[in-house]
């Protein structure tokens, strides 16, 4: 093995070096200057994105003795993940320069942890072996636990961190147990080897299936699908909003990418076995997400439940287990991340008497004081509710279409019902913004230019998606092509 | 013969001590029973021929984790009565989940059928190589990527614990030997010419 063999992993290697140098700089060089370290990490992430996008692989490349793979699917998912991380770091940068808020305290290690987490996600997406999935998963979630508890003086933040950590450790345990069962019954953890094995087998040993269920449980926790969603509202509520924007975007993409890689890869031959489980999880996620959000007063808790239901819709596409389903999930998750980041950017630009907004009722009168933010929020809400011609509609449309293609009519109908229920709370926010009045209006903020730009870009993307939908479809088709070689 | 005897000895003590971990009244006793359980598991591993795992279990779990538990238990004032009360509250659900899982696993192991192609997939076990030797040969060659990444995971754990616990308190007096050595006479001593009968 020579150095040339490492080239497909060049983006990871680059990010590792950058992160370690940054850590040393933070400890010895720059002192404790969050602002400078954040800006250097931003450039590191931009470099990583360039390396990912500019070195597309020829077909599918497997390196490090079958542990690591790079193909079009991996490139696309990694690019989305790292862009999400970058945007969330930009939002942090904006908060750092905004010194008005004395309650906002973030230590300089924060960007370093974010880079480590991103690195773990990249490893996870590129994994071609259960062992690399596990290591990537740990590397991405360990910094997340710390980031959740980063405001250690704040009781809620600490609570969020501990909850996330304990439940995450249990989920990792489940995943690891599942992997060991699979290894015991199948004799390998390598995806290529497992694929060959499952393709040739008539009768599936029950141990492999139990292992599969445990693996699914572990991964369902990471995307916060019901019944493993309990941590999500508390963590969203407790963490600072900039951290929430990261937790809500990048890790979900990475975890969904791993689920796709596993269930459309080696386990595709067992689709008859796992389809029902995924359907049940999807249905419950959609409904618990929709009904849970109905009673929420806190905007971040509401967003947590909304993300649970969005994961449910994405799982509908996974349950379809066909070619189009894969494409639909990729598009759905991309659009979800765009709208989630947009909402968090909008939240960060709004302030009421010096503090961030927590309660939904505080949006009252937004259309009078901040007409532009109100329009953007309305776009995000309409898109999440799935109102045409906004992007969210297309995401849902593709997902349900893939379910129909697999003759899962029941699932598609339930999905539509759930999105009708979900539309209520999205529209309620719009109603509060435009039709409710209040005396205490929101602050006028001069800072937060980056957040405003991000909010605008996300809004325009969702608004004009229908023009570029063919482009994203072909991109995702190219990604799906490399993952699926044996599926109709 | 001695093998079977060893198996039954270790596993019966393991089961008994695991039960005692849950039911012991004194939390310190619970931790001690946990250590006993670890030792017996290590014994089972050695019987299986996995001596490396056995030793790691003793070194890492008994040597570090259990001692840490002991510290935590002794430092924190844990009210066992309160915990027991909460246990009763959650017992039905816990029991249900536990029983379902247990039945599932029993089914999995009763229907033990190893996949057909497993023999070809599994790594061969060459004669004359102990598993510690094999692990050493594999971890640093075939699985070096995982080895390196595990290092990063540990680094993250280190950074995380420092971020969450290190407290830079202001106004505290610390001794900095480098500063002390670097002091010159000029900045430390000031010669004042005090006139007689005036004072400083």
């Amino acid at each position: 093995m020579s150095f040339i063999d490492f080239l497909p992993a060049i983006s990871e290697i680059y990010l590792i070096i950058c992160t370690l140098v940054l850590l040393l700089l933070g400890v010895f060089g720059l002192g404790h200057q969050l602002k400078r370290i954040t800006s250097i990490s931003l450039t590191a992430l931009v470099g990583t994105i360039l390396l990912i996008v500019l070195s597309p692989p020829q077909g599918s490349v497997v390196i490090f003795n079958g542990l690591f793979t790079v193909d079009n699917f991996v490139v696309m998912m990694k690019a989305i993940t790292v862009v999400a991380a970058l945007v969330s770091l930009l939002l942090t940068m904006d908060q750092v320069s905004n010194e008005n808020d004395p309650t906002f305290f973030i230590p300089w290690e924060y960007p370093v942890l974010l880079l480590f987490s991103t690195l773990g996600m990249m490893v996870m997406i590129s994994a071609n072996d259960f062992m690399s999935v596990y290591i990537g998963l740990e590397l991405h979630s360990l910094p997340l636990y710390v980031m959740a508890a980063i405001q250690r003086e704040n009781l809620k933040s600490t609570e969020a961190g501990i909850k996330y950590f304990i439940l995450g450790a249990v989920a990792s345990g489940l995943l690891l147990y599942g992997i060991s069962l699979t290894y015991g019954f199948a004799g390998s953890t390598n995806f290529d080897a497992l694929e060959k094995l499952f393709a040739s087998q008539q009768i599936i040993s029950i141990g492999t299936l139990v292992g599969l269920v445990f693996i699914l449980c572990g991964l369902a926790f990471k995307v916060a699908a019901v019944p493993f969603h309990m941590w999500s509202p508390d963590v969203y509520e407790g963490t600072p909003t900039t951290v929430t924007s990261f937790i809500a975007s990048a890790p979900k993409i990475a975890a969904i990418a791993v689920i796709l890689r596993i269930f459309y890869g080696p386990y595709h031959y067992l689709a008859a076995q796992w389809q029902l489980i995924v359907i049940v999880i999807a249905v419950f996620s959609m409904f618990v997400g929709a009904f849970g959000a109905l009673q929420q007063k806190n905007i971040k808790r509401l967003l947590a439940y909304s993300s649970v239901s969005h994961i449910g819709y994405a799982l509908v596409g996974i349950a379809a287990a066909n070619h189009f389903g894969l494409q639909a999930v990729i598009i759905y998750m991309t659009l979800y991340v765009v709208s989630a980041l947009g909402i968090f950017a909008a939240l960060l630009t709004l302030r009421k008497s010096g503090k961030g907004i927590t309660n939904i009722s505080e949006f009252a009168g937004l259309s009078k004081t901040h007409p532009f933010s109100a329009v953007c929020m309305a776009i995000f809400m309409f898109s999440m509710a799935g109102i045409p011609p906004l992007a969210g509609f297309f995401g849902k449309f593709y997902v349900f279409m893939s379910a129909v293609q697999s003759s899962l009519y029941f699932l598609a109908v339930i999905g539509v019902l759930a999105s009708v229920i979900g539309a209520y709370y999205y529209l309620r926010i719009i109603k509060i913004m435009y039709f409710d009045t209040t005396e205490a209006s929101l602050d006028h903020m001069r800072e937060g230019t980056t957040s405003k730009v991000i909010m605008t870009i996300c809004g325009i993307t969702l608004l004009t998606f229908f023009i570029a939908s063919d482009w994203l479809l072909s991109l995702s088709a190219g990604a799906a092509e490399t993952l699926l070689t044996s599926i109709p | 013969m001695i093998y079977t005897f060893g198996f039954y000895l270790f596993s019966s003590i393991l089961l008994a001590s695991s039960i005692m971990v849950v039911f012991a009244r004194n939390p310190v006793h619970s931790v001690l029973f946990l250590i006993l359980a670890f030792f017996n598991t290590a014994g089972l591993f050695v019987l299986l021929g996995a001596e490396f795992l056995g030793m790691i279990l003793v070194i890492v779990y008994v040597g570090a984790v259990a001692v840490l538990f002991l510290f935590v238990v002794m430092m924190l004032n844990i009210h066992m009565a309160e915990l027991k009360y909460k246990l009763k509250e959650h017992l039905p659900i816990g029991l249900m989940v536990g029983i379902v899982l247990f039945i599932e696993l029993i089914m999995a192991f009763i229907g033990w059928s190893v996949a057909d192609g497993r023999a070809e997939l599994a790594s061969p076990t060459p004669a004359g190589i102990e598993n510690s030797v094999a692990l050493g040969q594999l971890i640093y060659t075939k699985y070096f990527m995982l080895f390196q990444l595990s290092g990063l995971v540990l680094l993250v754990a280190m950074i995380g614990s420092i971020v969450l616990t290190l407290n830079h308190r202001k106004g505290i007096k610390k001794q900095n030997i480098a500063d002390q050595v670097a002091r010159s006479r000029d900045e430390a001593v000031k010669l004042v010419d005090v006139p007689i009968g005036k004072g400083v």
Side-chain angles (χ1 to χ4, degrees), chain A residues 177-179 181-182 206-216 267:
Chain A
Y177 190 44
I179 293 172
L181 276 175
T182 307
I206 195 165
T208 325
L209 291 180
V210 175
L212 173 70
V213 173
F214 277 114
I215 290 169
L216 186 59
Y267 282 95

Side-chain angles (χ1 to χ4, degrees), chain B:
Chain B
M1 173 58 202
I2 187 113
Y3 197 86
T4 331
F5 176 73
F7 173 78
Y8 282 109
L9 181 74
F10 287 138
S11 33
S12 54
I13 298 178
L14 173 60
L15 280 177
S17 52
S18 316
I19 291 171
M20 286 312 288
V21 172
V22 184
F23 288 106
R25 282 192 167 275
N26 188 335
V28 177
H29 292 174
S30 284
V31 177
L32 292 177
F33 275 115
L34 189 67
I35 293 174
L36 186 62
F38 283 145
F39 269 115
N40 283 287
T41 321
L44 284 178
F45 273 132
V46 171
L47 281 185
L48 281 171
E51 78 281 347
F52 183 76
L53 277 182
M55 292 311 131
I56 283 293
L57 198 72
V58 171
I59 295 170
V60 175
Y61 280 84
V62 177
V65 177
V67 172
L68 196 73
F69 276 4
L70 210 54
F71 269 114
V72 171
V73 166
M74 281 158 71
M75 299 277 190
L76 299 180
N77 188 13
I78 297 173
H79 297 287
M80 282 310 267
E82 211 171 284
L83 285 179
K84 285 259 160 69
Y85 178 71
K86 280 194 180 151
L87 182 77
K88 265 181 203 149
E89 224 170 79
H90 300 300
L91 196 63
I93 296 174
L95 257 177
M96 207 177 71
V97 173
I99 288 171
V100 168
L101 256 182
F102 189 61
I103 292 173
E104 251 179 38
L105 289 179
I106 285 184
M107 273 167 65
F109 288 105
I110 286 179
W112 180 286
S113 64
V114 172
D116 291 332
R118 186 186 184 281
E120 294 96 74
L121 278 181
S123 314
T125 37
I129 292 188
E130 300 296 321
N131 68 52
S132 327
V133 177
L135 272 174
Q137 284 175 355
L138 281 178
I139 286 177
Y140 306 110
T141 55
K142 197 176 172 197
Y143 298 119
F144 79 96
M145 185 196 99
L146 298 179
F147 180 72
Q148 299 280 351
L149 288 174
S150 315
L152 284 183
V153 174
L154 292 180
L155 179 64
V156 168
M158 222 161 85
I159 300 171
S161 50
I162 292 174
V163 170
L164 292 180
T165 53
L166 185 64
N167 219 344
H168 283 293
R169 272 185 295 177
K170 294 224 169 69
I172 206 164
K173 291 194 167 61
K174 275 191 283 191
Q175 184 178 25
N176 188 340
I177 294 176
D179 278 355
Q180 290 178 334
V181 173
R183 267 179 85 147
S184 64
R185 184 178 175 278
D186 300 336
E187 59 184 285
V189 182
K190 196 167 121 195
L191 289 179
V192 183
D193 202 1
V194 185
I196 298 164
K198 287 265 174 80
V200 183

Side-chain angles (χ1 to χ4, degrees), chain A residues 115-137:
Chain A
L115 291 191
F116 270 123
S117 185
T118 313
L119 176 71
M121 287 170 210
M122 289 165 70
V123 171
M124 206 163 110
I125 295 172
S126 267
N128 195 40
D129 192 301
F130 273 125
M131 285 191 282
S132 9
V133 169
Y134 179 70
I135 294 280
L137 195 104

Side-chain angles (χ1 to χ4, degrees), chain A residues 153-234:
Chain A
E153 309 292 320
N154 183 333
L155 201 64
K156 281 220 158 143
S157 180
T158 326
E159 183 199 338
I162 287 181
K163 252 184 200 158
Y164 199 14
F165 175 63
I166 291 178
L167 290 174
V170 171
S172 291
L174 284 179
L175 182 81
L176 211 51
Y177 190 44
I179 293 172
S180 70
L181 276 175
T182 307
Y183 177 67
F185 283 91
S188 177
T189 49
N190 188 283
F191 289 167
D192 298 332
L194 285 175
E195 189 161 357
K196 265 185 218 134
L197 182 79
F198 292 143
S200 64
Q201 250 178 351
Q202 305 302 315
I203 307 153
I204 309 301
S205 66
I206 195 165
T208 325
L209 291 180
V210 175
L212 173 70
V213 173
F214 277 114
I215 290 169
L216 186 59
C217 291
L219 292 173
F221 172 86
K222 293 293 164 196
V223 293
V226 176
F228 307 100
H229 67 290
M230 309 293 186
W231 57 273
S232 168
D234 293 330

